[in-house]
Amino acid sequence: MANPPKDTHLSDDDDAGAAFVLQSKGQWWHAGFHLTTAIVGPTILTLPYAFRGLGWWIGMLCLTVMGVVTFYSYGLMSKVLDHCENAGRRHIRFRELAADVLGSGWMFYFVIFIQTAINTGVGVGAILLAGECLQIVYSNIAPHGSLKLYHFIAMVTVVMIVLSQLPTFHSLRHINLCSLFLSLGYTFLVVGACIHAGTSKNAPPRDYSLEPKKSSRAFSAFTAISIIAAIFGNGILPEIQATLAPPATGKMIKGLTMCYAVILVTFYSAAVSGYWVFGNKSNSNILKSLLPDEGPSLAPTWVLGLAVIFVLLQLFAIGLVYSQVAYEIMEKKSADVKQGIFSKRNLLPRIILRTIYMIFCGFIAAMLPFFGDINGVVGAVGFIPLDFVLPMILYNKTHKPPKSSFTYLINISIMVVFTGAGIMGAFSSIRKLVLDANQFKLFGSDVVD
């Protein structure tokens, strides 16, 4: 009979990061809310932009393959966590799981580095997109107004500083339920707007051709793959599973099923409708394509305005979810678990550290307005290693499937294919960042595509 699961963070009296930020109180549907917020976000408005580097058929194929592989990968990760829990080692952090299973100290720091890159990248991207959405509304209300993009980024950052003071991951469950409905809401609004734009007399000319030069086409394709990987990416599944009340066995699969039901509805509809209308002229934010700088709006402004409001509200939830790992790392050292979560001893450092973190993300967003490019880099160097490679390694190590088995061969194939895609995606995404650097100024007022 297996040893009873041991909640490792409860045995460590000094681990305030686990005791406070990663409280284990949730049910499977709470995990579903967290997962949906972590994956189904306004980044789906970038899917038409990703399709313009792949075309119709390869774009649809990549979207489907990414969906199947990530669901499979997250399922394997959950099984690895369940395996360790049943063996008496309940891991609540990705880095500790990787170090324990692989028996390597450097893996602990590798995962910390990658997760930090993801958290910061998503935080920057969320603030930047929120600022851009505000700018879209403002530019249509006051076309000659004096406010710049960085002003709106500063406004968003202030709101994020306030919301970041919510102390625990579990305390976000109601916010993330609202986030789920918001993602469905703005997806339906944007899809309706795209259909309206595509059937109106002002419909833009459609061109689905790829770049003429083969080298540029290849780079664009790998950048697009990295963007799709980032959109499907999670990178914090162990931390989300940590919020489940033990034993967590089986609960995460139910949460994943809920999440991927929402993905099926939102991802395909946003990608197909946006690319159908704008083709290879798709913007990295499809809302911006629907509200061009020149000419009339391509959809009713009230529809787009409501979509922008939904996007803004959900971006706050996304920023909160992805900041939890950073907060857990900070509070593991800065907080005192022996004192109350709202004690003066713990409240003051929390306010200071979380405020500094959000100011940093807001500053980078204002200084480097590369929303589409940031997605590509984050996907290549962050999400691909954590979501497409490590889960396969961890599963093969813990469950030891025979090397001749179908599972083992599938896992190895996924690792090899996505390692190669990650390397090429990182190279092409960084290349595009370098090329785009000539198109903007520091603290510019336009997001470069």
Side-chain angles (χ1 to χ4, degrees):
M1 184 176 178
N3 294 326
K6 182 175 76 171
D7 199 345
T8 54
H9 72 268
L10 293 179
S11 64
D12 187 350
D13 293 335
D14 298 323
D15 195 347
F20 293 163
V21 181
L22 298 180
Q23 288 181 342
S24 302
K25 294 182 177 180
Q27 302 299 323
W28 70 263
W29 53 88
H30 298 145
F33 303 158
H34 300 326
L35 284 165
T36 303
T37 301
I39 300 176
V40 187
T43 48
I44 65 175
L45 304 180
T46 312
L47 281 170
Y49 172 81
F51 266 46
R52 82 181 196 181
L54 298 168
W56 272 117
W57 299 111
I58 298 179
M60 291 294 289
L61 178 64
C62 286
L63 188 63
T64 303
V65 168
M66 290 284 189
V68 172
V69 170
T70 50
F71 184 86
Y72 174 74
S73 174
Y74 297 147
L76 291 188
M77 176 69 73
S78 182
K79 288 183 178 181
V80 171
L81 288 162
D82 291 345
H83 175 86
C84 292
E85 181 175 344
N86 292 332
R89 306 187 315 277
R90 184 170 190 254
H91 293 295
I92 62 170
R93 299 178 174 97
F94 203 147
R95 58 190 183 272
E96 293 174 353
L97 173 69
D100 177 40
V101 173
L102 300 178
S104 173
W106 69 266
M107 183 58 67
F108 181 90
Y109 296 102
F110 172 77
V111 173
I112 284 184
F113 174 78
I114 295 297
Q115 279 193 318
T116 301
I118 288 175
N119 293 337
T120 306
V122 173
V124 170
I127 291 173
L128 178 56
L129 180 57
E132 185 185 17
C133 287
L134 280 175
Q135 184 187 40
I136 290 172
V137 175
Y138 175 77
S139 63
N140 280 270
I141 296 174
H144 304 293
S146 60
L147 294 181
K148 305 297 183 182
L149 177 62
Y150 59 84
H151 292 125
F152 299 108
I153 289 174
M155 297 175 195
V156 173
T157 302
V158 170
V159 177
M160 287 301 301
I161 288 172
V162 175
L163 292 176
S164 69
Q165 304 309 319
L166 287 168
T168 70
F169 205 152
H170 183 62
S171 66
L172 306 181
R173 62 194 182 281
H174 302 302
I175 291 176
N176 290 340
L177 171 60
C178 294
S179 169
L180 188 155
F181 288 113
L182 288 169
S183 67
L184 291 171
Y186 64 70
T187 298
F188 294 149
L189 288 169
V190 168
V191 170
C194 287
I195 293 172
H196 181 277
T199 55
S200 71
K201 63 180 182 179
N202 295 320
R206 297 182 181 88
D207 184 1
Y208 305 115
S209 61
L210 302 177
E211 296 188 52
K213 287 181 63 177
K214 289 186 177 180
S215 59
S216 298
R217 188 182 304 177
F219 284 127
S220 295
F222 280 111
T223 300
I225 291 171
S226 297
I227 289 173
I228 295 175
I231 293 172
F232 271 106
N234 183 319
I236 55 174
L237 187 139
E239 285 78 8
I240 291 176
Q241 186 156 329
T243 66
L244 291 169
T249 302
K251 295 177 182 176
M252 185 58 75
I253 298 300
K254 294 180 181 179
L256 278 170
T257 303
M258 175 194 290
C259 174
Y260 272 75
V262 178
I263 285 174
L264 185 64
V265 173
T266 56
F267 280 40
Y268 284 92
S269 59
V272 170
S273 62
Y275 188 61
W276 169 68
V277 179
F278 299 105
N280 59 16
K281 301 299 181 184
S282 297
N283 197 284
S284 64
N285 181 351
I286 203 66
L287 287 172
K288 200 168 183 179
S289 297
L290 290 163
L291 284 168
D293 294 332
E294 298 179 1
S297 169
L298 298 178
T301 53
W302 72 267
V303 172
L304 299 179
L306 188 58
V308 167
I309 292 172
F310 287 178
V311 166
L312 284 172
L313 293 174
Q314 200 209 16
L315 281 166
F316 296 133
I318 292 171
L320 292 173
V321 164
Y322 275 96
S323 63
Q324 295 306 304
V325 174
Y327 297 158
E328 176 268 313
I329 292 173
M330 291 188 292
E331 294 194 21
K332 184 176 181 181
K333 299 297 184 183
S334 67
D336 183 356
V337 74
K338 296 177 182 178
Q339 300 191 42
I341 191 171
F342 293 109
S343 66
K344 185 177 179 180
R345 162 65 181 79
N346 292 326
L347 187 61
L348 189 60
R350 181 185 305 129
I351 292 173
I352 294 172
L353 291 173
R354 295 188 181 194
T355 298
I356 291 173
Y357 178 79
M358 280 301 169
I359 289 175
F360 172 77
C361 289
F363 179 80
I364 297 299
M367 187 172 66
L368 303 172
F370 289 125
F371 179 61
D373 293 349
I374 286 174
N375 259 353
V377 174
V378 170
V381 305
F383 288 118
I384 285 182
L386 290 191
D387 295 332
F388 297 90
V389 179
L390 265 179
M392 316 303 165
I393 297 175
L394 297 174
Y395 183 86
N396 286 351
K397 186 77 172 178
T398 55
H399 288 72
K400 296 181 171 57
K403 292 186 177 180
S404 59
S405 68
F406 181 72
T407 299
Y408 184 85
L409 295 176
I410 285 292
N411 290 352
I412 294 297
S413 299
I414 291 173
M415 287 166 51
V416 171
V417 169
F418 282 96
T419 297
I423 293 171
M424 290 301 298
F427 179 78
S428 59
S429 297
I430 293 171
R431 170 184 174 271
K432 192 168 188 304
L433 269 174
V434 172
L435 293 175
D436 286 344
N438 297 321
Q439 302 179 32
F440 86 111
K441 297 179 181 179
L442 290 177
F443 302 98
S445 195
D446 293 305
V447 176
V448 178
D449 285 333

